[in-house]
Amino acid sequence: MKEKLEALRQEAIAQLNDVADVQTLNDLRVKYLGKKGALTEILRGMGALSAEERPLIGQVANDVRGAIEGLIESKQQAFQKAETEQRLQAEKVDVTLPGRKMTQGGTHPLNKVIQEIEEIFIGMGYHIAEGPEVETDYYNFEALNLPKNHPARDMQDTFYITEELLMRTQTSPMQVRTMESMQGKVPVKIICPGKVYRRDDDDATHSFQFYQIEGLVIGENIRMSDLKGTLLQFVREMFGPNTQIRLRPSFFPFTEPSAEVDVTCARCGGSGCRVCKHTGWLEILGCGMVHPEVLRKGGYDPEVHSGFAFGMGPDRIAMLKYGIDDIRHFYGGDVAFLKQFARM
C-alpha cells in the first residue's frame, strides 16, 4: 500500500505540474482527493493492515494528501494572480486622457416658480403652512362653506378614498387648520403651497394633479384694498415693475365678495397678442374677503376680525412666465424639455 501511495503522489504531481487552466485543476482535485478519488480508494484497504502498519501507512497517506493539496493551492494562487494581472492590464486608466464632463442638473421649472413665489411672500412677512394631501371632507369642503350636496362641490370633483377621506382639491384646508391652531389669535399671514388633485382629463391646460399656492390674512380692519395692494406687489415682483392688475367680480363659496385677478400680458405688455388672445390681459388667480362662515369655523368672530384669501396655480404662472403651451410638459420627465431651464 505504501508503494501505491508513493506512485499516486508521483502521478498526481506530474499531472498537476502540467495544468494550464482552472477547470483542469478542479478536475484533478476531484480525481485524486474527492470522495471517490484515487487516494480514498487506496485508503479503503487500511482495514486489512495490521495494527503496527496502520499508523505508518496513515502517516504516508497524510504526507501524500498534503503534497497534492499544497501543489493544488499553489497552482490556484498562480492562476488567480495571472487573472488579476490580466484584468488590471485590460482595465488600466490612462491618466493623461481628458476627464469626462459631469452632467449638471437643474431645478425643475415648477419648483423655480414655487420658490420664487414663496420668497416674494416671505419678504412680505408671510409664513409657509404645509399639510396632508389626503384630507377629510370636513377640512376640504365643509369648513370652507361647502356643506354636503352643495352644488359648488361639482366644480372640484376629486378622488374619494372613503366617504370622509379624499385627495385634497385645494390647499385651502391648511387655512382652516391654521386658524384652528391659532385659537383666535391675530395676525395670521400664511401661504399654503402644495400638490392638489381633481378628476380632470389631461390636456394642454388641465391635469389630474397640479400645484396650488393659497394665501390667507386675518386681522382687524382688513379690507379689500389691502388684498389688492398685496396682489399688485406680488405681480410686479413676479412679472415686472410695470405689471398692472384688474379685479373682476366672481364667486367662490369661501370668500365674499370674490374676484378673479388678471395681469397685463407679460408677452405684449398689454397691447394684445396671441398669448392673451389680443385682450392684453391674462387671468392668474382668484381671491376675495374671507366669508364670515369660514371665519367662524376657524374660531374667529367675523364681527371683530376680517381677512382676505387668494389662490393661484404655479403651473399656470410658469407657463406664462416661460412661454410653455402644454402643462403636460411639467410632468412628462422629458430631459430635453427640462434642460432648457437648467441654468435659468
Side-chain angles (χ1 to χ4, degrees):
M1 183 175 289
K2 181 177 180 181
E3 289 76 12
K4 288 183 179 181
L5 290 171
E6 290 295 340
L8 179 65
R9 184 209 301 262
Q10 297 301 322
E11 177 187 333
I13 290 175
Q15 291 197 24
L16 287 171
N17 283 330
D18 295 334
V19 169
D21 59 80
V22 175
Q23 183 59 51
T24 304
L25 182 66
N26 289 332
D27 291 343
L28 290 176
R29 182 199 301 273
V30 174
K31 177 182 178 180
Y32 291 111
L33 302 180
K35 291 182 179 180
K36 296 181 180 180
L39 182 61
T40 302
E41 289 296 325
I42 293 175
L43 294 178
R44 284 176 180 169
M46 290 279 287
L49 299 176
S50 64
E52 293 81 9
E53 291 178 311
R54 287 176 188 170
L56 299 175
I57 298 300
Q59 181 63 45
V60 174
N62 288 337
D63 291 344
V64 172
R65 180 185 295 276
I68 296 173
E69 287 179 342
L71 187 53
I72 290 175
E73 180 68 23
S74 176
K75 284 286 185 178
Q76 190 170 25
Q77 290 178 359
F79 286 140
Q80 289 176 346
K81 182 179 180 181
E83 181 185 358
T84 301
E85 289 178 353
Q86 184 179 6
R87 188 171 66 250
L88 289 174
Q89 287 295 321
E91 297 177 356
K92 68 180 180 180
V93 177
D94 185 351
V95 295
T96 65
L97 290 173
R100 294 186 179 94
K101 185 177 181 180
M102 299 296 292
T103 302
Q104 186 175 1
T107 305
H108 193 282
L110 269 181
N111 287 336
K112 286 178 182 289
V113 169
I114 291 171
Q115 291 168 7
E116 188 173 351
I117 294 172
E118 289 177 345
E119 289 172 1
I120 291 171
F121 281 101
I122 289 173
M124 289 192 281
Y126 285 68
H127 298 280
I128 295 176
E130 297 179 313
E133 295 179 12
V134 177
E135 197 44 279
T136 65
D137 184 271
Y138 173 79
Y139 284 111
N140 197 80
F141 290 124
E142 292 187 43
L144 295 167
N145 202 31
L146 284 162
K148 301 286 188 183
N149 302 318
H150 193 291
R153 285 195 179 206
D154 294 339
M155 299 165 57
Q156 300 182 11
D157 193 15
T158 189
F159 303 95
Y160 276 87
I161 300 170
T162 68
E163 289 187 1
E164 295 299 324
L165 284 178
L166 63 147
M167 303 302 293
R168 67 182 182 186
T169 61
Q170 53 203 356
T171 56
S172 303
M174 277 311 299
Q175 297 184 20
V176 182
R177 290 179 178 274
T178 300
M179 286 191 284
E180 287 183 349
S181 68
M182 292 294 288
Q183 299 180 341
K185 298 176 183 178
V186 292
V188 176
K189 291 182 71 175
I190 60 167
I191 57 169
C192 313
K195 192 180 292 183
V196 299
Y197 305 85
R198 297 185 188 179
R199 291 182 60 187
D200 279 330
D201 294 327
D202 286 6
D203 57 29
T205 57
H206 297 85
S207 174
F208 72 92
Q209 66 169 32
F210 55 97
Y211 284 87
Q212 194 173 63
I213 296 180
E214 300 197 11
L216 173 69
V217 172
I218 297 177
E220 297 180 6
N221 301 316
I222 302 297
R223 296 163 297 187
M224 196 76 175
S225 58
D226 299 316
L227 170 59
K228 184 176 180 181
T230 298
L231 296 179
L232 183 60
Q233 176 69 19
F234 163 69
V235 299
R236 286 182 172 174
E237 292 196 38
M238 192 73 194
F239 297 106
N242 296 321
T243 307
Q244 299 296 325
I245 65 172
R246 71 177 182 183
L247 277 63
R248 292 179 287 106
S250 186
F251 167 76
F252 302 111
F254 28 82
T255 54
E256 181 61 38
S258 304
E260 300 281 0
V261 179
D262 301 330
V263 299
T264 47
C265 178
R267 293 290 171 182
C268 65
S271 61
C273 67
R274 182 182 61 84
V275 174
C276 62
K277 299 179 180 178
H278 301 284
T279 65
W281 297 94
L282 293 168
E283 178 186 328
I284 63 164
L285 58 87
C287 66
M289 301 301 293
V290 181
H291 196 287
E293 188 60 29
V294 176
L295 287 171
R296 290 190 187 96
K297 292 281 188 180
Y300 289 87
D301 183 354
E303 298 296 327
V304 178
H305 298 108
S306 58
F308 63 75
F310 55 85
M312 67 188 76
D315 305 67
R316 176 163 175 75
I317 292 176
M319 291 173 73
L320 296 174
K321 190 176 180 69
Y322 299 127
I324 299 168
D325 59 2
D326 195 322
I327 193 173
R328 290 170 293 191
H329 290 318
F330 292 134
Y331 304 104
D334 186 344
V335 176
F337 168 76
L338 298 175
K339 278 182 178 180
Q340 301 175 74
F341 309 93
R343 289 182 171 82
M344 291 182 67

